[in-house]
């Protein structure tokens, strides 16, 4: 069982930056692939970024490539999402998630943190 707690959300103007953190409980953090997802008002949840267990391999939603960076610190049981050049369309609740290994399957989810970008 893994518990995930996100932090770092807030309100910023377009062009600004935020760094989200997701702290995981337990001693097996490095065995999970980690991802960030988001859900905007009235829309479904969408994939944003994912990191391999070591952090060496990452994938991104096309619309955030070059602006967002996912990184993890396995010694601190934490995954981050650095968000730069934020746009109003990035406004959403952001969730981190942990995958035990099934392709596209995430087994544990955090409670979410709100990111609001104003124009």
């Amino acid at each position: 069982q893994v518990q995930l707690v996100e932090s770092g959300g807030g309100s910023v103007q377009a062009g600004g930056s935020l760094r989200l953190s997701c702290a995981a409980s337990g001693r097996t953090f490095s065995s999970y692939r980690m991802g960030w997802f988001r859900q905007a008002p009235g829309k479904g949840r969408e994939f944003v970024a994912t990191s391999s267990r070591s952090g060496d391999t990452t994938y991104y939603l096309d619309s955030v490539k070059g602006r967002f960076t996912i990184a993890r610190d396995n010694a601190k049981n934490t995954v981050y999402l650095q968000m730069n050049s934020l746009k109003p369309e990035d406004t959403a609740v952001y969730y981190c998630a942990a995958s035990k290994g099934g392709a596209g399957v995430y087994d544990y989810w955090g409670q979410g943190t709100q990111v609001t970008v104003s124009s």
Side-chain angles (χ1 to χ4, degrees), residues 39-116:
Q39 187 166 17
K43 297 186 177 181
R45 188 163 55 193
E46 69 174 349
F47 162 82
V48 175
T50 187
S51 168
S52 62
R53 293 169 179 82
S54 66
D56 290 344
T57 302
T58 57
Y59 295 101
Y60 296 93
L61 176 69
D62 282 348
S63 63
V64 308
K65 285 180 181 177
R67 300 189 298 121
F68 290 13
T69 303
I70 185 171
R72 63 191 295 164
D73 185 336
N74 286 341
K76 294 183 178 180
N77 283 11
T78 301
V79 62
Y80 305 96
L81 185 68
Q82 177 67 44
M83 306 186 294
N84 299 327
S85 302
L86 282 161
K87 303 176 180 180
E89 51 263 43
D90 295 319
T91 295
V93 177
Y94 283 71
Y95 300 88
C96 72
S99 172
K100 292 188 287 187
V105 176
Y106 285 82
D107 305 281
Y108 304 104
W109 294 82
Q111 83 289 349
T113 186
Q114 177 71 47
V115 171
T116 302

